[in-house]
Amino acid sequence: MSATRGLVLLCLVGVAWCQRAEQLLAQNPCSSKTTCSDCMRTPTCAWCFQPSFKEPRCFNPAMEGGTGGCDEAYIFNPDNQRSIDPMYNRELSRAHGRGMSASSYEESQSSMSGSFGAGGAAGAAGAAGAAGGLVQVKPQRVKLQLRMNQMQKLDVAYSQAQDYPVDLYYLMDLSRSMKNDKEKLSTLGSLLSSTMRNITSNFRLGFGSFVDKLVMPYVSTVPKNLISPCDGCAAPYGFKNQMALSMDTETFDDAVARADVSGNLDAPEGGFDAIMQAIVCKQQIGWRDQVRRLLVFSTDAGFHYAGDGKLGGIVQPNDGECHMEDDSYTHSTLQDYPSISQINLKAREHSINVIFAVTKEQISVYEELSKHIEGSSSGVLSEDSSNVVDLVRDQYNKISSSVEMKDNSSNAVQIVYYSSCLGDKNNVIQTNKCDGLKVGDVVQFTAEITLKECPADPREWRQQFQIHPVGISESLLVELDMLCDCPCEHKGHHAYDDSPSVCNGFGISACGVCLCDPGRFGKACECSAQGGGASAEQERGCRPLNSTTGPLCSNRGTCFCGQCECNKMDDPSMVISGPYCECDNFTCDMNKGLMCSGPDHGLCACGKCECTDEYSGPACQCLKSQEPCRSPENGKICNGNGKCVCGKCVCNVNDDQKYSGTFCEKCPACTGKCKEYKDCVLCEVHKRGPMFDMEAPPGLECGNCSLNPVIEEGKIEANETRGEYLCSFYDDEDCLYVYVYSYSYTQHLNVRAQKDRDCPPKVFILGIVLGVIAAIVLVGLALLMLWKMVTTIHDRREFARFEKERMMAKWDTGENPIYKQATSTFKNPTYAGK
C-alpha cells in the first residue's frame, strides 16, 4: 500500500515538474531555438557555441544569470550598433550667405558629381559640406546593425538653409482655352523671377507646354486639322520643352510668347504625359542637384490618366522613362498615360514639388489629386493667370514652411517618427510632419527603426534606404546590416566544421550543433526519416531539459528518434510547435473574442501574445500611446488627474478628491482654489470674517487681499464654457456666501461674487421655551378639566339611576324587606282560591 502511494506521489511530482518546465519554456522563448540563426532572430536571446555544452544553447541572459552557464568567450550576443562617420555628419547650413553665385554653385555641383558619380542625391548630400554646398539634413549617412524586433533610435535634424537654390519649371496647358493666360504669362516672367529672387538669389526658370495625344478621340486626325485644328492654332502635340531651366528671364518671356496655342477635341488634357516627362527628363529640363525643385502645372481642364489610352488604341503602359527628342515627347502615341501612383513615385524619387495652378472650376479635383502626390499643393488661378506670381510665392512659402519626413525602406523595416517640432522638447509626439517653420529653424526628428523580419534571401540582409524631407533632394542614407545569422555558421570560424567525422557524416557542425543533411535529423544527425522508433536514450531528447520523467513531447506529439513530431490539428491555422511540442498559437489570452485582440494588435507565439509596437498587455489589448488620454483642452495626459492605462484614463480617487470623465476633467467634490480665496471674498464682499479688521484705515480692512471681485445682484452660477468654478461656504453666522472664479488666457484671475448672503431666519429661543411651558400648562389644565367633566357626568348619571330605582321600588309595609320567611305561598290564578 505504501509503495503504491509513493508511486502515485512520484507521478504527481513528475507531472507538476513537467508542467512547470513547459511553463518556463513558454515564458522564455529562447530555450526553444535550436540553431544560432533562430536564436539571433529572437529578441534578448544569446547563443553559446561552447563545445560539449549540455544546457540549452539559446538562453536569455536577463533570466539566466547573464551567461546561462556558458563561458563568456563562447557567447554570441550582438547588440544593435550605430556608427556615423564625421565626414557625413556635417553641420546644418542655417545662415549661409546670400553671396553664393550661380557659377560657384554649379562648380560645387560638378565637384559633387565627380566625387560620387552615380551615387545619387543621397551621396551628394552626404558630401555637401565637403563640396561647399548647403546642408539641410544632419547626419548625412549612418551605418546600422540591427537584430530582429530590437528597436534602434536615430536622431535626424532638418533646417531650411538661407538662400537655398530654386528651380521652377512652368508647365502650361496650351489648348485654345488658355490663350489669354499665355499672353498674360509672357509679360509676368520678369515679375515672377524678381519675386522669387527675393526668396533666393539662385533662381532658375523654365517653360514647357502640352496639349494631348495625336490620336482620336483626343484630337482630330483629319490631315488639315493635324496642321491647324483651329484658326490661328499651331499643330497639336503631346509635350514640348519650350525652354530649359535658365536664369535668363527675357528668354522665358520670349519662349512663352513664341509658344502657339493649339486645339483638341475632348475636355480632359494630356497633362500627366507632360508631368511625367518634365520630372524624369532631368538632363533635358535642366534640373540641378541639391535645389528646391518646383513644377508649376497650369490648366483650366481635367486630366487623362492610366487606362484612358485604350480609347485611342494605346494599350502599352507608361514605363516612367524619359522619351524626348528635340525637346518633344516621342512616345505620345505609343504609351498610355501614367497613373497617379506613377506620378507620385517619380515626384518622390526626384524630390519635385508639384504646384497645381488651376481655375476655380477645377480646384476641387486637383485638391483631391494633391492628396495622393507627396509634396504637392494646389491653388486657384485667375481667368487670365494674372495672379500666378502671387500664387507661386504663396505656394512656395507654404511648401517651405513645412517639413515631412519620409523613407523608402523595405517591408522588412519599420520606421516610426517622433518630434516636438518647434514646441517644448519634452513634449514629443508621434509625427513625421512639422509646420510653421522659418529659415534657420531646426527641427529634430527621432526615427525608431525596427527590423521586423529577416528576408528569405541572405543577399537582402544588407540594404540601403533613405530618410528624407519630402520635396528636398537631400537625405540621410542609412546602410543597414541585418544580424540574421551567426559568424560561427560560416566557413572560417573555429566553431564551424564540415569534415566527414562530425555529425555521423550526415551534416556539418556549426555553433556547437549539427546542421543535418536533408532526410537526417537528431542531435548528431543519427536519425533517418525512413527509420522509426526511439530508444530510451533518444526519448530523453523528447522531454524538457532532458528529464527522465514526464510525458514525451508534452503529450502533444510523437517522439521519433529523439525529436518530437508535433500533432497536426484539424484546423490548419492552429499549429503546435517547439522542440518538445510545448508551444502553440491558439492558447493565448483573448480579448473581445479575438486572440491577442486580433492580428492588428499581436500574434500568438508559444502560448504568449507577441504584441506589435503599438500595443501591450497579456492580450495586446492595451494601447501604448498616451495620445487617446491627452485632453483636448490643455494637452495634458488625463488633465494631470490620473494615469493613462490601456489607452484610457484611470482617474485619481482619494478621500477629498474624486475625479471622473473621459479625461479626468470632472471633480464634483473638488474645491479647487475655492478655499484659497474664500476668506478674501468674505472680507472684500461682506466685510466680515477672519481677514476683516475694523480698526484698519479705509480700503485696508482686508489686509493683503486683492481679488477685487465683481459684485452681482441676485443668484450667480458658473459658466463652464468660460472655465468658471462655483464656490460656496458658510460663515460664522451660518450664512451661505457664493462666488465663482476663472482664469483668462493670460492667467489673470477673475472673481464674481453674489452680493447677498443666504442667512437662515432668526429664532427667539426664550419665546419658544415660554411657549412650550405655557403649552404644557394649558394641556395639563385641559386634561384636568376634561377629567373633572367626565367624572362629574359619570356621578350624575349614577345618582339619577339610583333615584329612578328608588322611586320604582314598592315596599310591603307589613313585612320586613330584610327578613324572609322559610315558607312561600303560591296561588293558582286559575282557581283563584276556589
Side-chain angles (χ1 to χ4, degrees):
M1 188 69 176
S2 61
T4 303
R5 289 179 179 176
L7 182 60
V8 171
L9 181 62
L10 181 62
C11 291
L12 292 175
V13 171
V15 171
W17 185 89
C18 288
Q19 290 177 346
R20 175 60 178 164
E22 292 177 11
Q23 207 171 25
L24 291 174
L25 285 171
Q27 295 175 354
N28 181 14
C30 301
S31 58
S32 63
K33 309 304 178 184
T34 57
T35 65
C36 190
S37 295
D38 291 340
C39 188
M40 288 303 100
R41 301 180 188 190
T42 307
T44 71
C45 294
W47 182 267
C48 175
F49 57 90
Q50 180 178 341
S52 304
F53 189 67
K54 301 299 183 184
E55 301 296 328
R57 293 186 177 274
C58 189
F59 64 95
N60 188 334
M63 297 177 62
E64 302 178 37
T67 63
C70 180
D71 189 336
E72 292 186 6
Y74 293 94
I75 295 177
F76 183 64
N77 184 23
D79 290 325
N80 290 347
Q81 293 186 6
R82 181 192 65 185
S83 61
I84 303 176
D85 191 329
M87 178 180 178
Y88 302 110
N89 195 26
R90 301 287 180 178
E91 292 298 327
L92 299 171
S93 303
R94 298 177 58 188
H96 187 79
R98 294 181 63 88
M100 185 178 183
S101 64
S103 59
S104 62
Y105 181 85
E106 297 292 350
E107 291 174 1
S108 71
Q109 294 300 306
S110 301
S111 174
M112 283 190 290
S113 300
S115 300
F116 291 92
L134 300 175
V135 177
Q136 297 187 116
V137 178
K138 178 187 178 184
Q140 295 82 44
R141 183 176 295 183
V142 174
K143 292 184 178 180
L144 294 180
Q145 289 186 348
L146 299 183
R147 289 184 61 176
M148 270 184 58
N149 296 319
Q150 289 190 359
M151 184 268 293
Q152 175 66 45
K153 291 186 177 182
L154 180 62
D155 292 333
V156 184
Y158 167 80
S159 177
Q160 181 185 351
Q162 182 179 343
D163 203 34
Y164 197 70
V166 175
D167 282 353
L168 187 151
Y169 191 79
Y170 199 94
L171 183 58
M172 189 174 187
D173 172 12
L174 282 190
S175 58
R176 185 171 179 80
S177 60
M178 293 288 287
K179 182 178 180 180
N180 294 337
D181 301 71
K182 181 191 80 74
E183 294 173 353
K184 190 67 177 179
L185 182 63
S186 65
T187 64
L188 295 177
S190 298
L191 179 60
L192 178 60
S193 179
S194 62
T195 301
M196 293 302 296
R197 290 188 195 282
N198 291 330
I199 299 174
T200 174
S201 61
N202 195 342
F203 172 70
R204 299 199 311 168
L205 190 60
F207 175 67
S209 60
F210 65 91
V211 182
D212 213 333
K213 294 184 179 296
L214 301 181
V215 294
M216 287 288 291
Y218 313 116
V219 300
S220 174
T221 56
V222 176
K224 67 174 183 177
N225 290 338
L226 287 176
I227 298 175
S228 178
C230 54
D231 293 338
C233 293
Y237 53 89
F239 164 66
K240 283 185 179 181
N241 177 26
Q242 306 283 2
M243 170 190 166
L245 291 164
S246 171
M247 300 185 69
D248 188 352
T249 306
E250 294 181 359
T251 304
F252 176 83
D253 293 342
D254 293 340
V256 176
R258 288 195 309 268
D260 293 326
V261 297
S262 185
N264 61 333
L265 295 178
D266 61 342
E269 315 290 3
F272 273 21
D273 274 343
I275 292 176
M276 177 61 75
Q277 294 305 301
I279 291 176
V280 300
C281 295
K282 179 179 178 181
Q283 183 176 358
Q284 290 83 347
I285 303 299
W287 296 114
R288 297 175 292 177
D289 292 328
Q290 203 183 356
V291 296
R292 173 80 73 172
R293 302 169 183 168
L294 303 179
L295 176 62
V296 180
F297 181 83
S298 174
T299 185
D300 63 349
F303 49 84
H304 286 294
Y305 50 88
D308 286 357
K310 62 185 178 182
L311 296 176
I314 302 173
V315 295
Q316 181 178 348
N318 194 286
D319 59 6
E321 300 294 333
C322 179
H323 300 286
M324 296 278 291
E325 289 184 7
D326 297 329
D327 288 328
S328 295
Y329 180 37
T330 60
H331 283 49
S332 175
T333 59
L334 301 178
Q335 290 186 356
D336 193 7
Y337 300 99
S339 65
I340 296 176
S341 60
Q342 283 180 301
I343 296 291
N344 178 52
L345 175 64
K346 295 302 180 180
R348 185 173 67 243
E349 288 180 353
H350 294 264
S351 301
I352 291 180
N353 296 111
V354 181
I355 299 175
F356 295 109
V358 297
T359 54
K360 182 172 60 176
E361 294 78 12
Q362 299 294 330
I363 187 63
S364 60
V365 176
Y366 284 90
E367 282 180 345
E368 191 66 26
L369 175 62
S370 64
K371 295 178 182 179
H372 301 280
I373 300 178
E374 283 187 12
S376 65
S377 60
S378 56
V380 177
L381 192 67
S382 62
E383 293 297 330
D384 60 352
S385 299
S386 58
N387 69 328
V388 66
V389 176
D390 293 335
L391 189 150
V392 171
R393 183 188 63 238
D394 294 343
Q395 293 301 315
Y396 176 81
N397 291 334
K398 177 182 176 182
I399 293 171
S400 60
S401 65
S402 175
V403 58
E404 182 178 7
M405 302 302 291
K406 291 284 188 176
D407 59 82
N408 60 350
S409 60
S410 65
N411 294 331
V413 180
Q414 174 183 288
I415 303 180
V416 181
Y417 298 93
Y418 294 87
S419 179
S420 61
C421 295
L422 299 179
D424 184 2
K425 294 187 180 299
N426 297 322
N427 186 21
V428 177
I429 60 174
Q430 180 178 335
T431 182
N432 67 330
K433 186 176 183 179
C434 293
D435 298 316
L437 307 183
K438 297 179 181 178
V439 174
D441 288 340
V442 178
V443 180
Q444 194 82 16
F445 289 93
T446 298
E448 293 187 352
I449 305 175
T450 306
L451 177 62
K452 301 302 293 183
E453 61 181 13
C454 287
D457 188 354
R459 291 175 296 182
E460 297 180 11
W461 293 353
R462 176 169 292 182
Q463 297 182 359
Q464 289 186 353
F465 61 88
Q466 296 175 16
I467 298 176
H468 62 93
V470 174
I472 300 295
S473 56
E474 299 175 56
S475 65
L476 164 60
L477 180 64
V478 180
E479 298 177 354
L480 174 61
D481 284 337
M482 304 179 185
L483 300 176
C484 296
D485 63 355
C486 306
C488 53
E489 292 178 321
H490 300 281
K491 286 186 177 182
H493 195 277
H494 61 85
Y496 182 91
D497 189 356
D498 58 354
S499 63
S501 60
V502 299
C503 304
N504 290 303
F506 295 106
I508 60 174
S509 176
C511 302
V513 297
C514 284
L515 302 180
C516 302
D517 296 336
R520 305 291 299 191
F521 59 95
K523 290 186 176 182
C525 304
E526 71 276 14
C527 300
S528 172
Q530 287 74 33
S535 64
E537 180 63 26
Q538 291 174 344
E539 286 183 352
R540 291 171 59 89
C542 296
R543 294 187 175 93
L545 303 179
N546 290 328
S547 65
T548 57
T549 59
L552 293 174
C553 302
S554 306
N555 281 336
R556 302 201 295 180
T558 303
C559 184
F560 185 76
C561 198
Q563 289 190 346
C564 289
E565 290 187 359
C566 301
N567 297 335
K568 304 295 183 183
M569 305 296 292
D570 294 336
D571 186 352
S573 63
M574 302 171 65
V575 179
I576 300 174
S577 60
Y580 313 110
C581 302
E582 76 281 1
C583 297
D584 61 63
N585 65 348
F586 52 84
T587 58
C588 291
D589 292 336
M590 302 187 72
N591 178 44
K592 296 181 179 179
L594 298 175
M595 190 168 299
C596 301
S597 301
D600 293 338
H601 289 224
L603 299 175
C604 183
C606 205
K608 184 178 180 181
C609 289
E610 290 186 353
C611 305
T612 61
D613 293 339
E614 293 82 10
Y615 296 92
S616 62
C620 302
Q621 75 278 16
C622 296
L623 186 67
K624 286 184 179 180
S625 174
Q626 294 187 342
E627 286 307 307
C629 299
R630 192 176 299 278
S631 172
E633 296 182 0
N634 52 29
K636 294 183 178 180
I637 301 298
C638 301
N639 279 290
N641 301 323
K643 297 180 180 179
C644 188
V645 179
C646 288
K648 294 183 179 180
C649 285
V650 178
C651 304
N652 297 334
V653 176
N654 50 48
D655 295 337
D656 299 329
Q657 299 175 334
K658 295 182 180 180
Y659 292 94
S660 62
T662 305
F663 302 103
C664 301
E665 73 279 8
K666 300 178 182 179
C667 184
C670 295
T671 59
K673 292 192 175 183
C674 287
K675 289 184 178 180
E676 182 178 338
Y677 305 137
K678 70 172 187 174
D679 291 336
C680 284
V681 171
L682 182 61
C683 179
E684 292 185 284
V685 178
H686 305 290
K687 306 301 181 183
R688 61 186 309 105
M691 301 291 293
F692 185 69
D693 186 1
M694 296 182 59
E695 299 178 358
L700 301 177
E701 298 94 338
C702 297
N704 296 327
C705 292
S706 59
L707 299 181
N708 300 320
V710 176
I711 302 175
E712 298 181 0
E713 297 283 351
K715 185 177 181 180
I716 65 173
E717 296 180 352
N719 189 339
E720 296 183 355
T721 61
R722 291 163 50 186
E724 291 184 339
Y725 295 89
L726 180 67
C727 308
S728 59
F729 294 96
Y730 288 94
D731 60 12
D732 54 351
E733 293 184 351
D734 289 334
C735 292
L736 180 69
Y737 61 100
V738 182
Y739 64 95
V740 298
Y741 75 90
S742 63
Y743 289 93
S744 65
Y745 292 108
T746 59
Q747 295 301 307
H748 179 266
L749 175 64
N750 300 313
V751 178
R752 295 189 299 115
Q754 185 173 303
K755 179 178 179 181
D756 300 322
R757 297 176 297 161
D758 294 333
C759 298
K762 293 183 179 181
V763 178
F764 299 98
I765 303 300
L766 180 61
I768 294 176
V769 173
L770 295 177
V772 171
I773 294 174
I776 293 174
V777 172
L778 292 174
V779 170
L781 292 175
L783 291 175
L784 288 175
M785 292 177 66
L786 180 62
W787 174 77
K788 182 64 176 174
M789 183 172 57
V790 170
T791 55
T792 300
I793 293 173
H794 180 268
D795 291 345
R796 288 179 178 180
R797 285 180 177 178
E798 290 293 326
F799 180 76
R801 188 174 60 180
F802 171 76
E803 286 292 330
K804 182 179 180 180
E805 290 179 350
R806 186 176 64 81
M807 291 296 293
M808 294 178 64
K810 295 180 179 181
W811 302 103
D812 189 353
T813 58
E815 294 182 0
N816 187 350
I818 298 175
Y819 174 75
K820 294 290 184 181
Q821 293 183 356
T823 60
S824 298
T825 301
F826 298 93
K827 293 180 180 181
N828 189 341
T830 305
Y831 297 99
K834 292 180 180 180

